């Protein structure tokens, strides 16, 4: 079930990213900043759910699981996904920093091109990242966990996804 929860979240994040890129392309400063801040926060929440719930559940289960994924495959996939998560957060944090400097007047609007380039780099890497998650990783718990354990993982993922910063409530 969590594959549907997290895939749905991917869809929501994809729509938000599309809107962000559109507004940046239109040089809409106010709306772009709000969308960038929201995208960064929602992606961080999604990443938190994976890092705190999904990945540990997979790595704990794979040690006693026979068949696919192998322990090596699961560990390698999680390592790639965690590296991607770090990349996303660093790039978006830098985009936010530049945006704040533009808003404060210490950088010109010309720096919106740099912000858009960072957002596009995140968007490009998200494509392969999401393909790995949706095509493999999100399917693994159903193969490795019994229904009770899977229900606990699903509930914990939902809880993490609903735990949003107060400024976005």
């Amino acid at each position: 079930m969590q594959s549907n929860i997290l895939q749905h979240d991917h869809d929501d994040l994809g729509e938000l990213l599309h809107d962000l890129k559109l507004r940046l392309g239109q040089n809409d400063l106010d709306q772009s900043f709000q969308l960038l801040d929201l995208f960064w926060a929602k992606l961080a929440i999604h990443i938190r759910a994976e890092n705190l719930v999904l990945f540990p559940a997979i790595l704990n289960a794979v040690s006693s699981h026979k068949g696919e994924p192998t322990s090596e495959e699961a560990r390698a996939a999680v390592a790639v996904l965690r590296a991607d998560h770090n990349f996303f957060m660093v790039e978006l944090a830098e985009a936010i920093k530049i945006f704040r400097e533009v808003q404060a007047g210490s950088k010109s609007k010309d720096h919106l091109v740099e912000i858009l380039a960072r957002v596009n780099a995140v968007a490009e890497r998200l494509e392969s990242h999401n393909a790995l998650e949706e095509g493999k990783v999100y399917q693994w718990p159903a193969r490795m966990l019994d229904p009770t354990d899977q229900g606990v993982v699903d509930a914990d993922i939902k809880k993490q996804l609903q735990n949003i910063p107060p400024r976005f409530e």
Side-chain angles (χ1 to χ4, degrees):
M1 181 176 166
Q2 92 280 340
S3 65
N4 292 335
I5 298 165
L6 292 169
Q7 264 183 277
H8 179 70
D9 206 45
H10 279 180
D11 294 342
D12 291 347
L13 286 164
E15 289 175 23
L16 188 55
L17 181 58
H18 176 268
D19 292 346
L20 168 59
K21 290 168 57 176
L22 182 68
R23 293 297 182 162
L24 281 169
Q26 296 170 344
N27 291 324
D28 182 343
L29 284 179
D30 292 334
Q31 192 66 27
S32 293
F33 184 77
Q34 289 176 4
L35 289 169
L36 178 59
D37 189 37
L38 181 61
F39 179 72
W40 184 32
K42 286 193 169 201
L43 184 59
I45 291 164
H46 181 91
I47 288 169
R48 180 183 64 207
E50 291 176 347
N51 285 344
L52 295 181
V53 180
L54 180 65
F55 296 163
I58 289 169
L59 295 175
N60 288 336
V62 77
S63 62
S64 61
H65 172 73
K66 302 293 184 231
E68 291 189 33
T70 64
S71 182
E72 294 80 22
E73 181 182 12
R75 291 181 198 297
V78 168
V80 166
L81 295 173
R82 284 185 171 151
D84 287 347
H85 290 169
N86 292 338
F87 172 81
F88 301 146
M89 292 296 99
V90 167
E91 288 299 306
L92 292 172
E94 188 61 26
I96 290 279
K97 178 184 171 206
I98 294 166
F99 217 122
R100 287 187 175 135
E101 291 170 347
V102 169
Q103 288 175 320
S106 61
K107 288 194 174 188
S108 72
K109 281 187 177 182
D110 295 340
H111 284 87
L112 289 178
V113 173
E114 183 180 350
I115 294 166
L116 182 57
R118 289 181 181 277
V119 169
N120 283 333
V122 168
E124 184 176 314
R125 193 153 170 183
L126 267 172
E127 288 182 28
S128 61
H129 178 89
N130 290 351
L132 174 58
E133 287 180 338
E134 293 173 11
K136 287 188 177 186
V137 175
Y138 289 175
Q139 310 308 316
W140 291 343
R143 294 185 205 158
M144 297 188 296
L145 301 174
D146 64 44
T148 302
D149 290 339
Q150 192 166 354
V152 170
V153 169
D154 292 346
D156 288 349
I157 287 172
K158 283 182 187 176
K159 182 179 177 184
Q160 289 296 328
L161 293 176
Q162 292 169 350
N163 185 9
I164 61 174
R167 73 180 190 269
F168 296 113
E169 290 178 340

